[in-house]
């Protein structure tokens, strides 16, 4: 059973398009995240949701809008895609009440904007 | 400004050699974690260190948390080709019960047979 699954794994699209990435976790975690990994492999947090409530919102352009219909799902919608949005996007989950933030990651979505 | 400095960024060694990866910061973290990432996959948690001075072992991997909880190291003994991958340290910055992981730049390790 896949713990954190995200779709699609690969996404190639033209500049200006709108696209969505979906994420689901079956670990019973209450917190979900979106991370962006750039071409140099640097991983940076974008958003965090706890029980459908936004709790972390880093300085991310407004074109990025996360949506959490329930605590097991966190989707990422991106409007007006730009070349600089090309990266690998990772969904992750954890238990907020735990002493440590131990994150479980999905396989990633490689987004290429052409 | 990079909060967590990881070094070296690249390491290519022969099978059987030992290596150490460092993760340094001027900030204190409530805990520090090490992840390993393989190509096309997401990072996988290896270990969490919580107490200053703590040492944890995972087979040939030894993890240490600095006394002041600002730095950590990962030592691999007798590296094997299966150890090849991207190693990431991540510090947990907590505000109340909300945690936020700050990642280092990563160390790409290649172990040649």
């Amino acid at each position: 059973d896949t713990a954190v699954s995200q779709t699609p794994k690969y996404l190639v699209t033209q500049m200006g398009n709108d696209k969505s990435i979906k994420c689901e976790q079956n670990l019973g975690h209450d917190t979900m995240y979106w991370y962006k990994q750039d071409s140099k492999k640097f991983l940076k947090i974008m958003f965090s949701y706890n029980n459908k409530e936004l709790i972390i919102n880093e300085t991310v352009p407004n074109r990025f809008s996360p949506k959490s219909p329930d605590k097991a799902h966190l989707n990422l919608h991106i409007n007006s895609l730009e070349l600089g949005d090309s990266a690998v996007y990772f969904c992750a989950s954890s238990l907020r009440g735990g002493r440590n933030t131990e994150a479980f990651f999905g396989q990633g979505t490689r987004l290429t904007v052409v | 400004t990079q909060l967590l400095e990881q070094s070296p960024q690249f390491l290519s060694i022969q099978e059987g050699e030992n290596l150490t990866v460092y993760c340094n910061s001027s900030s204190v973290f409530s805990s520090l974690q090490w992840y390993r990432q393989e190509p096309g996959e997401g990072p996988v948690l290896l270990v969490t260190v919580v107490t200053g001075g703590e040492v944890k072992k995972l087979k040939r991997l030894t993890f240490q948390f600095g006394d002041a909880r600002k730095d950590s190291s990962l030592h691999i003994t007798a590296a094997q080709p299966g150890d090849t991958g991207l190693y990431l340290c991540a510090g947990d910055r907590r505000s109340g019960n909300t945690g936020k992981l700050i990642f280092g730049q990563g160390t790409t390790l290649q172990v040649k047979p």
Side-chain angles (χ1 to χ4, degrees):
Chain A
D1 281 347
T2 304
V4 182
S5 59
Q6 54 184 107
T7 55
K9 188 167 172 63
Y10 300 97
L11 190 51
V12 181
T13 187
Q14 290 188 324
M15 273 196 313
N17 283 351
D18 303 339
K19 289 294 177 186
S20 292
I21 308 171
K22 295 187 175 182
C23 179
E24 175 183 6
Q25 56 94 4
N26 62 5
L27 296 167
H29 289 164
D30 57 1
T31 304
M32 296 184 73
Y33 312 82
W34 279 109
Y35 282 84
K36 179 180 179 181
Q37 188 170 48
D38 61 23
S39 58
K40 294 184 179 178
K41 305 296 185 187
F42 181 57
L43 205 55
K44 189 164 191 269
I45 190 167
M46 300 172 68
F47 302 102
S48 173
Y49 269 75
N50 175 258
N51 284 324
K52 303 193 296 178
E53 179 189 351
L54 182 66
I55 56 172
I56 294 175
N57 185 351
E58 294 294 293
T59 50
V60 177
N62 290 338
R63 299 181 295 102
F64 290 79
S65 53
K67 280 190 173 60
S68 181
D70 56 61
K71 71 176 187 177
H73 295 83
L74 180 62
N75 305 321
L76 183 65
H77 188 75
I78 316 170
N79 290 326
S80 304
L81 278 155
E82 300 177 358
L83 292 176
D85 297 331
S86 295
V88 182
Y89 292 83
F90 285 100
C91 176
S93 71
S94 73
L95 272 176
R96 185 184 188 189
R99 183 181 175 184
N100 310 305
T101 306
E102 295 179 341
F104 290 77
F105 286 82
Q107 285 193 309
T109 295
R110 180 173 293 277
L111 171 66
T112 305
V113 183
V114 298
Chain B
T1 304
Q2 182 62 34
L3 211 53
L4 265 176
E5 296 285 344
Q6 205 171 323
S7 63
Q9 290 191 36
F10 300 97
L11 199 50
S12 181
I13 61 172
Q14 292 295 134
E15 182 176 0
E17 291 184 13
N18 301 333
L19 67 117
T20 302
V21 178
Y22 299 93
C23 185
N24 296 305
S25 176
S26 57
S27 302
V28 176
F29 294 101
S30 61
S31 68
L32 198 136
Q33 297 158 29
W34 287 91
Y35 291 81
R36 181 164 164 249
Q37 184 180 8
E38 298 195 32
E41 302 291 331
V44 175
L45 179 67
L46 295 174
V47 79
T48 300
V49 284
V50 178
T51 308
E54 182 177 6
V55 176
K56 279 192 175 177
K57 292 194 174 186
L58 191 65
K59 296 183 181 176
R60 292 174 295 99
L61 278 60
T62 302
F63 305 86
Q64 185 160 8
F65 203 11
D67 292 340
R69 293 189 288 131
K70 293 182 181 180
D71 53 82
S72 180
S73 64
L74 157 61
H75 182 79
I76 302 180
T77 304
Q80 298 177 1
D83 296 327
T84 294
L86 176 68
Y87 289 82
L88 297 158
C89 65
D92 189 355
R93 296 290 299 274
R94 296 192 75 79
S95 174
N97 65 349
T98 297
K100 179 171 130 176
L101 289 179
I102 308 295
F103 281 85
Q105 311 100 308
T107 296
T108 299
L109 171 64
Q110 181 188 42
V111 182
K112 300 177 203 172

